[in-house]
Amino acid sequence: MRRNAAIKQVRLNVRANIAKGFDGFIANYSGDSSVPLTRTCGWSDAAHVVPTRYYLDFCIPINEADSFGGKRKFMEESMHYRMQRNFMPGGCWELKRNASLGGRPTEWPDDFDKYGTYLYGVASPSDGNYMAHRTLRGRAEPQWGLGNHLAPEEAMRGSSQRRGGRGRGARRGSGRRRGRIGA
């Protein structure tokens, strides 16, 4: 990034470096870089490396200019969809659309260099997967069966609730009993 100002964001992908989801269009980067990179038409706040000035001078002003001063938006919403320029010419959406119709456009969107989004590694189904995503939503099991990260000791011994026993704090005799009328 210090050697090449065109590289603004390098993201560690949670899956293979293929054209899917936020990374709807990708291509190997052949410019000046000391590590293998893949250009992507997707902006994500998943684990990534950026220069501080990129956030201060570019990302945060875009987010603050968004609806409600960016307070009700994820950074991805402010950045990714603006980069896509859905249904408009010249954006990543048009690039993906042309590729899906069988064409292989030679030019990236004019404003790609402002976003400068890259994936670490090469564009290949066998490269990527440089991090794992774990959900922090309540006590739901993390993705891909990684156990309960909020209570690792419980994940080690297993939960009595899953084995059919009463869970911690369950009261005896609560609820209606069979055959009993009223109460």
Side-chain angles (χ1 to χ4, degrees), residues 4-74:
N4 188 342
I7 301 169
K8 310 264 192 318
Q9 182 200 50
V10 176
R11 180 165 35 101
L12 303 176
N13 212 348
V14 297
R15 61 176 176 269
N17 289 344
I18 58 173
K20 182 177 183 180
F22 267 35
D23 303 313
F25 189 85
I26 61 172
N28 283 320
Y29 179 64
S30 58
D32 185 23
S33 175
S34 56
V35 296
L37 294 174
T38 299
R39 292 175 108 186
T40 178
C41 249
W43 198 102
S44 174
D45 63 1
H48 61 276
V49 177
V50 298
T52 304
R53 297 282 5 141
Y54 176 69
Y55 263 100
L56 295 176
D57 298 340
F58 184 67
C59 299
I60 292 173
I62 286 175
N63 184 253
E64 288 176 341
D66 216 332
S67 57
F68 299 104
K71 292 178 184 166
R72 297 182 182 173
K73 292 255 184 174
F74 290 109

Side-chain angles (χ1 to χ4, degrees), residues 8 10 29 37 46 75 83 90 103 108 110 118 135 141 150 164 167:
K8 310 264 192 318
V10 176
Y29 179 64
L37 294 174
M75 187 63 84
M83 182 182 188
W108 279 70
D110 296 335
Y118 294 83
T135 182
E141 287 289 320
L150 300 174

Side-chain angles (χ1 to χ4, degrees), residues 118-141:
Y118 294 83
L119 298 172
Y120 179 77
V122 297
S124 165
S126 62
D127 201 357
N129 300 307
Y130 289 103
M131 62 166 264
H133 178 268
R134 295 173 64 127
T135 182
L136 297 176
R137 296 179 184 146
R139 292 194 48 86
E141 287 289 320

